[in-house]
């Protein structure tokens, strides 16, 4: 079980305390013989949005969901499923033209 960590610059990692609390909660649940749906699984961090959506559904019964939500609120992850919510940033609908496209438009 790891304790809250610091970044190389000595500052605390965002959400470090919440991460530590989540790790303790997961350990306690597993020690009690219960399951944590994301423990030792990769679906919650899959590149595939459909796989992440299915994983998010498994969070509904998770005994540490509130701790996971607290970590997500503090750390503000930009990828993966946290407490039943896919927090992966979606690409914007606008695209930046390539240099070739910009040069072509100028004629």
């Amino acid at each position: 079980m790891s304790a809250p960590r610091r970044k190389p610059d000595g500052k605390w990692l965002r959400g470090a305390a919440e991460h530590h609390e989540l790790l303790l909660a997961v350990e306690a649940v597993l020690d009690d013989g219960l399951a944590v749906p994301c423990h030792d699984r990769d679906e919650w961090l899959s590149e595939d949005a459909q796989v992440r959506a299915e994983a998010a559904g498994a969070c509904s019964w998770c005994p540490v969901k509130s701790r996971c939500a607290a970590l997500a609120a503090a750390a503000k992850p930009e990828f993966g499923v946290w407490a039943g919510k896919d927090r992966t940033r979606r690409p914007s609908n606008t695209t930046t033209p390539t240099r070739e496209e910009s040069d072509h438009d100028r004629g």
Side-chain angles (χ1 to χ4, degrees):
M1 194 61 40
S2 63
R5 300 182 327 200
R6 292 181 186 252
K7 294 191 274 183
D9 63 6
K11 294 180 181 177
W12 288 103
L13 292 174
R14 196 170 52 181
E18 291 83 2
H19 181 252
H20 183 67
E21 291 297 320
L22 176 60
L23 290 175
L24 291 175
V26 168
E27 185 177 275
V29 167
L30 295 175
D31 284 349
D32 287 343
L34 301 173
V36 175
C38 64
H39 186 263
D40 287 338
R41 310 240 343 240
D42 296 327
E43 295 89 347
W44 281 256
L45 298 174
S46 173
E47 294 288 334
D48 186 320
Q50 182 60 39
V51 171
R52 289 192 313 272
E54 292 170 13
C59 296
S60 63
W61 57 268
C62 181
V64 297
K65 185 177 177 181
S66 63
R67 296 280 187 190
C68 185
L71 172 56
K76 300 181 182 7
E78 297 180 2
F79 187 81
V81 174
W82 298 87
K85 181 178 177 186
D86 188 354
R87 297 173 190 272
T88 304
R89 295 206 178 213
R90 308 290 188 256
S92 65
N93 290 335
T94 59
T95 58
T96 304
T98 65
R99 183 179 175 142
E100 286 178 327
E101 291 170 336
S102 295
D103 290 345
H104 182 277
D105 289 343
R106 285 186 253 182

